Amino acid sequence: QKEVEQNSGPLSVPEGAIASLNCTYSDRGSQSFFWYRQYSGKSPELIMFIYSNGDKEDGRFTAQLNKASQYVSLLIRDSQPSDSATYLCAVKWGGNQFYFGTGTSLTVIP
Amino acid sequence: DARVTQTPRHKVTEMGQEVTMRCQPILGHNTVFWYRQTMMQGLELLAYFRNRAPLDDSGMPKDRFSAEMPDATLATLKIQPSEPRDSAVYFCASGLNWDTNQPQHFGDGTRLSIL
């Protein structure tokens, strides 16, 4: 059984702080890793993807991947109230299928 | 800006009725996914297609659910007969070239309520 696990939260951070979202996965054969943001009542939207060990930065967002530890994280710098949403981690194994975590709810407090 | 289009956006119907949800993937995308999302279960994969062929529908209750892709521009998800426990948001997503690290792009979803 392939599993993707996230802390459901809620995670609360003050505006301007760094929010850290974590995801672990069960299968060492995992190839690609994606972070989606989902606002309440809306569909998931892609924020970032990463497939190599290390860090990948895009604006205020940084994805970190450690395949040895089977761990992927998303850091949001200078958090804004508009970042308040549920963040879904998705892992792609060999083949065509994605597996999603249950999501972490983030609240950025003004 | 290319988008996945889902219809209807909302559907309320009585138990036992047939429900059909439609999805138009992004032009050129060769994979289509159907998901169901509830507060309790999160995002669950129901079925997915590659080049219109069904690759996996193990997440779908076979006795009442069916998924098809009659052509490259249309995917359908049917529930017959519907039950109150089917109430959820159903998302369609499409993607391109799954041998690479391409992501999925989601539609706005169909919010289904079975009374």
Side-chain angles (χ1 to χ4, degrees):
Chain A
Q1 178 73 16
K2 296 179 174 61
E3 294 183 350
V4 178
E5 295 190 357
Q6 297 181 253
N7 188 329
S8 62
L11 175 66
S12 294
V13 299
E15 184 174 355
I18 296 175
S20 178
L21 304 161
N22 304 316
C23 174
T24 59
Y25 56 95
S26 62
D27 194 319
R28 289 188 177 274
S30 303
Q31 296 178 325
S32 310
F33 308 85
F34 301 81
W35 283 101
Y36 286 82
R37 176 177 62 199
Q38 186 174 25
Y39 292 114
S40 180
K42 302 295 185 181
S43 59
E45 55 179 328
L46 179 69
I47 298 176
M48 291 191 70
F49 69 91
I50 186 170
Y51 50 86
S52 299
N53 275 327
D55 295 358
K56 180 181 179 181
E57 187 175 317
D58 184 1
R60 295 186 296 111
F61 298 95
T62 299
Q64 298 176 318
L65 175 61
N66 184 326
K67 289 189 176 181
S69 300
Q70 297 174 235
Y71 176 96
V72 58
S73 64
L74 179 70
L75 301 178
I76 307 175
R77 291 183 301 282
D78 188 24
S79 296
Q80 301 297 310
S82 60
D83 295 326
S84 299
T86 295
Y87 290 80
L88 299 168
C89 171
V91 178
K92 176 178 175 286
W93 273 273
N96 301 296
Q97 200 162 356
F98 271 59
Y99 291 85
F100 282 82
T102 53
T104 298
S105 174
L106 172 67
T107 300
V108 180
I109 303 168
Chain B
D1 202 16
R3 295 179 59 83
V4 175
T5 303
Q6 289 187 247
T7 56
R9 293 291 308 278
H10 303 271
K11 177 74 174 179
V12 181
T13 192
E14 293 185 345
M15 181 174 64
Q17 297 298 305
E18 177 177 301
V19 174
T20 299
M21 291 169 274
R22 294 178 173 82
C23 169
Q24 181 177 1
I26 292 173
L27 186 64
H29 281 188
N30 64 341
T31 53
V32 173
F33 299 76
W34 282 105
Y35 291 93
R36 174 172 62 187
Q37 189 175 40
T38 62
M39 289 293 293
M40 295 300 295
Q41 298 295 328
L43 203 58
E44 301 175 276
L45 178 67
L46 296 176
Y48 70 97
F49 296 78
R50 184 179 187 182
N51 297 326
R52 295 178 54 202
L55 289 190
D56 188 347
D57 59 2
S58 58
M60 198 166 65
K62 300 293 191 306
D63 56 338
R64 298 184 300 110
F65 285 61
S66 62
E68 296 179 347
M69 265 200 91
D71 62 60
T73 65
L74 177 64
T76 62
L77 179 66
K78 291 186 180 181
I79 309 175
Q80 170 62 25
S82 58
E83 298 181 2
R85 59 180 168 153
D86 301 328
S87 298
V89 180
Y90 290 80
F91 288 108
C92 174
S94 71
L96 178 65
N97 294 337
W98 283 115
D99 292 335
T100 66
N101 297 298
Q102 294 295 316
Q104 301 177 4
H105 299 267
F106 282 76
D108 290 334
T110 294
R111 283 156 178 76
L112 178 63
S113 294
I114 308 297
L115 306 177

